[in-house]
Each structure stands twice: as structure tokens, then as C-alpha cells.
Amino acid sequence: MLTYFIVLVVACLTALMVPYDWAAVWNAVSVLRSLGASNAPIRMITKSKDASSAFVTGDFSVAGLTDDVSDLSPSQIVALYDWLAFYQKDYTPVGRAEGHFYGPDGEPTEALRRVEVSLAQGLQLKAQAQAHSQLYPPCNTEWSSAGGRVWCSTQSGGVKREWVGVPRKLFSPGSSRSRCVCMQPEELSRADNPNLQEYSGCPVEAESCYVREH
């Protein structure tokens, strides 16, 4: 019950974060900053009920129960915002917690503004990753002691699309590690990405490849 209550408080604490709709971002910030407030005095909640960092890290030790999220990455801030958005569907903010995000008078702090900047960075990275996933969706894979198989389908990698694609190794720049992605057949003739590589022994336009390395 205590953990559930902490979850609700965190949703209220992070109510000022930038939304996903980039076109309306600044207008939405002004709307979000009014959450938990009305013509009546702002209801302030004690800091001891805040555990924003633990909500993302899972560290519910004494040290982990803190409202300081300055050491969280932009991606982790996005994860915190995702939970906020989830709970805002059914719950209404009832106040603001004095601490890292709000001052004694309920006004946003500089720390919260830095969180907003980090959130914006995280959302941009997330959007880039989603766009990349649409361009090169992950393959389906299966492995055994004898080897494995990678193949493409219209839903491989959880990315629904009209085309199937062919398996290719995609290397991260500067790394020897790769992952299997699906590439549109019509892109093969004009592919100039040096990080893409065919699977050895697999026909160029095959939708399925047997491989030995994991």
C-alpha cells in the first residue's frame, strides 16, 4: 500500500514535464504547471512522501527513497514521465510536494526546469530510435545448440508493416557487435550504409537465414 501511495505522489510531483506532442510543447507546459493548483491556495505535501528516483531505479532502500533525479539519464526521465502519463488517465493531482521540484510556495524550482530539459532530450532520443526501428525493424530469431535462424515478417520486432524484408546484420558505429534487422528488398540495390552486412551463405533476397553465430 505504501509503494502504491508513493506511485501516486510521484505522478503528482512530475506533473510539469514536457509532453510528447512537440508542436504543442510550450502551450502544454503552461497547462501542466497549473496541475494541482486552483484559485484556492496550493495544497503542499511533505517531502517525506516523495521517492521519484526509486520509482525508476527500483531502489527502495533508505538511500534510494529520494526526490533527487539529477543522476537519472534522459531515457530514465522519459520512463518516469511514462508512468506519470499512465496514472494521469485515472487520477487527478491533489497537491504539490515541497522539495526538489517545488518550493514552499508551490512554485517550480530550477531543478524541475532541468528535469524538463532532460525529458525533452530523452523524448528526442526516443523518437529517433522509433524512426530507426521503422526503417530497420528487428528480425525474428530462434536459437539452439546447433545454431539459429533469423527471418523477417510483416510483424517482426513488433513493428507492423506492409513489407516483409530480408535479414541483414546492422553494426553499431565503432563496434564489432551487430544485431539482425529487416531491410526492404527494393533498398538493396542502392544501400550505401557501411554498417549493414549480409549473412554469410544466405541468398541475397532470402527472407530467412540460418546462422551459426549468436
Side-chain angles (χ1 to χ4, degrees), residues 97-109:
E98 179 183 348
H100 239 68
F101 298 150
Y102 299 98
D105 57 356
E107 290 299 311
T109 64

Side-chain angles (χ1 to χ4, degrees), residues 35-201:
L35 294 178
S38 64
N39 293 330
I42 296 174
R43 177 184 176 185
M44 298 305 296
I45 303 172
T46 62
K47 178 180 177 179
S48 61
K49 293 185 182 85
D50 186 3
S52 298
S53 181
F55 192 51
V56 175
T57 64
D59 179 7
F60 284 88
S61 66
V62 175
L65 295 174
T66 175
D67 61 349
D68 184 2
V69 297
S70 59
D71 59 343
L72 297 184
S73 68
S75 295
Q76 288 175 312
I77 294 296
V78 170
L80 189 62
Y81 177 83
D82 286 342
W83 279 110
L84 163 67
F86 174 79
Y87 279 97
Q88 277 189 327
K89 294 177 181 177
D90 299 307
Y91 296 91
T92 300
V94 296
R96 296 176 176 177
E98 179 183 348
H100 239 68
F101 298 150
Y102 299 98
D105 57 356
E107 290 299 311
T109 64
E110 184 60 32
L112 182 54
R113 294 186 178 93
R114 288 195 294 268
V115 168
E116 291 175 345
V117 171
S118 183
L119 176 64
Q121 294 172 343
L123 290 175
Q124 184 177 19
L125 292 173
K126 184 176 181 178
Q128 291 173 346
Q130 290 174 337
H132 191 268
S133 181
Q134 291 291 333
L135 181 61
Y136 298 121
C139 306
N140 297 306
T141 62
E142 59 182 9
W143 298 92
S144 67
S145 57
R149 181 170 75 98
V150 294
W151 75 98
C152 297
S153 67
T154 55
Q155 297 189 51
S156 60
V159 180
K160 295 183 179 181
R161 54 193 187 276
E162 296 182 355
W163 52 277
V164 175
V166 296
R168 288 293 184 272
K169 294 180 184 179
L170 179 62
F171 290 85
S172 298
S175 173
S176 59
R177 303 190 63 178
S178 67
R179 60 186 179 89
C180 183
V181 299
C182 296
M183 188 174 181
Q184 297 189 56
E186 55 268 28
E187 296 292 328
L188 297 178
S189 61
R190 55 178 181 272
D192 55 358
N193 190 334
N195 297 313
L196 286 170
Q197 187 178 110
E198 297 177 11
Y199 279 94
S200 177

